[in-house]
Amino acid sequence: MVAYSSAVSKLEVAADVPEEARIGEHHVKGSDGKTVKFRNPHPSAGGPPESPFAVGGKIIWAKITGSMPSPDTSNVKIPVVEPEFLTARTGSTALRATWLGHACYFVEFPSGLRVLFDPVFEDRCTPVQWFGPKRYSPPACSLSDLPPVDAVVISHSHYDHLSHDSVQTLAKRNPEAQFFVGLGLEQWFRSSGILNVTEMDWWQDADLVLQKKSKPKAETGDGDDDDKDKTAPDTISARITCLPCQHSSGRTGRDHDATLWASWAVKSGDKSVWFGGDTGYRWVPKVAVDMDDYGPEYDALPRCPQFRQIGDLRGPFDLGLIPIGAYKPRWLFSWMHANPYDSVEIFKETRCKRAMGIHWGTWILTTEEVEEPPRMLREALKTSGIPQTGVFDVCAVGETREF
């Protein structure tokens, strides 16, 4: 049976990064000079960050006044198919990406590398499984159905992107898997019993090296199918890069913005992926329902410059995994969640050759109709003169696309 050992070398911030990153403008420091929390450094995030209680109060008031109704999921038709993963690490010359719902993607690189982004396999994206948003699209598979995982990349600490049970199960099934997280999250993982964790700041790189080893079939139940792969490479390497986005973090009322949110780039062999995770693009004030907030009256609203920086300094990317959902009401969520028009701008600025939409189709988090994001995405692509299919797409839960 073929298995791999793994090692990570974390590198210093490269020379070719924006000055704001070099001086740490996204760090908020206490009187002792140590970072105590993080912030979005650009006007595109709006005014001073609000506490979870303030945001929660606005949501409750919006629901009371009827301006934030819950979408109807009774006739949702988002297809779900059984995933078809490779049984051999070198079974394809293409990059294979499988959507597993919301922001979770399983990506198989031609080099043999397997990466899982933001895994949440529970029914509810909440601290408990008896309260909160419940899946309206069933999961395409369980964690036990996945091939061995080499790297798990976490965008931030919100419950729809980081599940305690999912990461613990992954670590038990994949004892050599390496977890990559933003600053401040390493201790949370270690307290959960996960030791293979590397925390990183924006624009910091890490090199991941997998080395083939021989071992007896362990009774760990890790589901390793590499004994079927006689052509598995001796060494697999990847460059993992932590990159900016515009968002927030927190799992309780006491840890607001205490850990860093991030987008990520993964390059292995000659293929590269940019994972947007969860991000806003610009803050939009309350406007009339029929008003185009990309029209001339609002065209001058500040846009987050970090995506153009990512494209200029780390692009192009073969594939972008870009959020397109959870954006209404716009005045409340625009600073932290992109709508499809924002997403297309992010796609262009990050210089992704192709993209798939994430952060939709799984849980009710905001008020837009469940199936609106793909429709709006096609409109946004048409407005930008980009083909409506084959460039920036969506797919069925469980479906694999090749790039």
Side-chain angles (χ1 to χ4, degrees):
M1 174 177 174
V2 179
Y4 286 85
S5 61
S6 63
V8 176
S9 300
K10 189 165 69 170
L11 309 179
E12 295 302 319
V13 174
D16 59 337
V17 302
E19 181 63 19
E20 69 201 38
R22 191 177 310 286
I23 63 177
E25 286 192 356
H26 57 296
H27 292 240
V28 178
K29 297 185 178 181
S31 58
D32 59 358
K34 295 182 179 179
T35 298
V36 295
K37 61 190 304 183
F38 301 92
R39 71 183 187 98
N40 295 294
H42 297 290
S44 54
E50 294 183 298
S51 72
F53 300 105
V55 174
K58 288 185 176 181
I59 291 174
I60 292 171
W61 180 248
K63 287 183 176 294
I64 291 173
T65 58
S67 60
M68 194 172 173
S70 294
D72 181 14
T73 61
S74 59
N75 293 309
V76 171
K77 299 177 182 178
I78 297 170
V80 180
V81 300
E82 184 177 351
E84 296 182 1
F85 303 115
L86 295 176
T87 57
R89 285 183 180 267
T90 55
S92 175
T93 58
L95 184 73
R96 302 179 83 251
T98 304
W99 187 40
L100 298 178
H102 199 55
C104 183
Y105 250 92
F106 184 76
V107 178
E108 299 164 288
F109 286 77
S111 67
L113 181 73
R114 295 160 170 164
V115 182
L116 186 62
F117 295 93
D118 280 4
V120 179
F121 281 73
E122 286 69 45
D123 280 344
R124 300 182 190 270
C125 54
T126 54
V128 294
Q129 286 299 298
W130 50 267
F131 178 78
K134 184 177 175 61
R135 283 181 184 266
Y136 57 81
S137 295
C141 66
S142 67
L143 283 169
S144 61
D145 297 320
L146 295 178
V149 177
D150 304 314
V152 181
V153 176
I154 304 295
S155 64
H156 66 297
S157 66
H158 286 158
Y159 284 93
D160 56 325
H161 296 259
L162 175 57
S163 157
H164 183 268
D165 289 346
S166 288
V167 295
Q168 277 200 320
T169 300
L170 280 163
K172 290 176 182 177
R173 294 184 62 83
N174 303 272
E176 289 285 347
Q178 297 286 341
F179 291 75
F180 296 89
V181 304
L183 288 181
L185 265 177
E186 180 176 354
Q187 182 55 44
W188 183 91
F189 275 80
R190 291 189 177 278
S191 66
S192 302
I194 299 171
L195 304 182
N196 292 345
V197 56
T198 301
E199 69 172 25
M200 300 168 64
D201 200 356
W202 289 349
W203 299 100
Q204 193 171 43
D205 300 313
D207 286 337
L208 171 65
V209 177
L210 309 179
Q211 193 68 42
K212 186 165 68 174
K213 62 179 182 178
S214 297
K215 67 175 184 178
K217 188 177 288 292
E219 296 180 0
T220 58
D222 63 0
D224 200 333
D225 58 5
D226 286 338
D227 57 329
K228 304 173 186 177
D229 187 0
K230 305 305 181 184
T231 62
D234 291 337
T235 303
I236 301 171
S237 60
R239 170 66 58 88
I240 316 288
T241 305
C242 182
L243 292 166
C245 66
Q246 183 171 287
H247 200 58
S248 181
S249 69
R251 296 175 72 80
T252 71
R254 299 184 302 274
D255 66 344
H256 181 57
D257 291 351
T259 61
L260 184 62
W261 49 96
S263 67
W264 295 84
V266 179
K267 180 177 176 60
S268 185
D270 62 354
K271 294 291 185 179
S272 59
V273 173
W274 180 69
F275 175 63
D278 198 354
T279 187
Y281 180 64
R282 58 188 193 133
W283 177 79
V284 177
K286 186 177 287 189
V287 302
V289 174
D290 58 350
M291 179 69 71
D292 176 12
D293 62 53
Y294 268 96
E297 291 184 59
Y298 299 100
D299 189 57
L301 289 174
R303 304 185 182 205
C304 182
Q306 294 168 317
F307 303 106
R308 189 171 298 279
Q309 294 168 351
I310 290 170
D312 290 344
L313 298 174
R314 294 295 181 269
F317 302 98
D318 294 291
L319 172 64
L321 303 174
I322 302 177
I324 63 170
Y327 49 80
K328 283 185 177 179
R330 192 94 157 108
W331 58 267
L332 181 57
F333 293 109
S334 60
W335 72 272
M336 67 183 302
H337 287 161
N339 81 355
Y341 281 87
D342 299 329
S343 306
V344 170
E345 296 303 303
I346 292 171
F347 166 71
K348 293 186 293 186
E349 291 181 1
T350 53
R351 297 175 62 203
C352 294
K353 297 175 184 177
R354 293 176 63 186
M356 298 299 294
I358 63 171
H359 206 260
W360 75 284
T362 308
W363 292 290
I364 296 294
L365 301 177
T366 48
T367 65
E368 72 270 10
E369 293 180 19
V370 171
E371 295 169 292
E372 180 182 282
R375 293 198 302 268
M376 187 182 287
L377 176 61
R378 291 191 291 271
E379 295 169 3
L381 290 167
K382 182 178 180 180
T383 298
S384 285
I386 300 172
Q388 294 176 270
T389 58
V391 179
F392 189 165
D393 291 329
V394 297
C395 66
V397 179
E399 183 179 349
T400 298
R401 295 287 181 93
E402 295 192 345
F403 305 90

